[in-house]
Amino acid sequence: MSGGEVAGILVAVFWAILVSFLAVVLARLAQVLKATTKMVADVTEQAVPLLADASTTVRSARTQLDRVDAIASDVQEVTSNASALSSTVASTFGGPLVKVAAFGYGVRKALGKNTDGAPKKTSRRTVIVGRTVPTPRRRKQKG
């Protein structure tokens, strides 16, 4: 055997080993791709129903928010109506009721007497710049 033949055989053996190694790597890569494809298919099978449920939940939440918005609008309208009614009642009945109360107070004061027939004594004091001035003394009535 000559040196060229030995070199040719060595190159052929090297290429045979390299091709065998690449075939094993490609076979393992095919298994990995097959497992990845199966995993993606499983995830897709589980994700599609979850996405459908999430979509349903989002629609339901939007419906509920629309209802809450309508309720808040109604509450605001009721509040403004109650405020308007309150001011209307106050302006309609407030003035006359104050006048009736003042009239009743005046009548009670005018007719109010002690049990012995003497008018009620009221204590009056005058305040002058932070000082209290005593009430003038009354003369005792004879009688």
Side-chain angles (χ1 to χ4, degrees), residues 6-64:
V6 173
I9 291 175
L10 283 176
V11 170
V13 170
F14 174 74
W15 280 108
I17 292 172
L18 183 64
V19 169
S20 299
F21 177 74
L22 288 175
V24 170
V25 169
L26 288 175
R28 298 227 176 187
L29 183 61
Q31 289 176 352
V32 168
L33 288 175
K34 186 187 252 184
T36 304
T37 304
K38 184 176 185 289
M39 186 176 64
V40 167
D42 291 344
V43 167
T44 303
E45 285 179 18
Q46 294 176 0
V48 169
L50 288 176
L51 289 175
D53 289 345
S55 176
T56 303
T57 303
V58 168
R59 280 193 208 105
S60 174
R62 187 179 341 149
T63 303
Q64 295 300 325

Side-chain angles (χ1 to χ4, degrees), residues 89-103:
V89 166
S91 65
T92 303
F93 296 113
L97 285 178
V98 168
K99 290 177 183 176
V100 167
F103 180 74

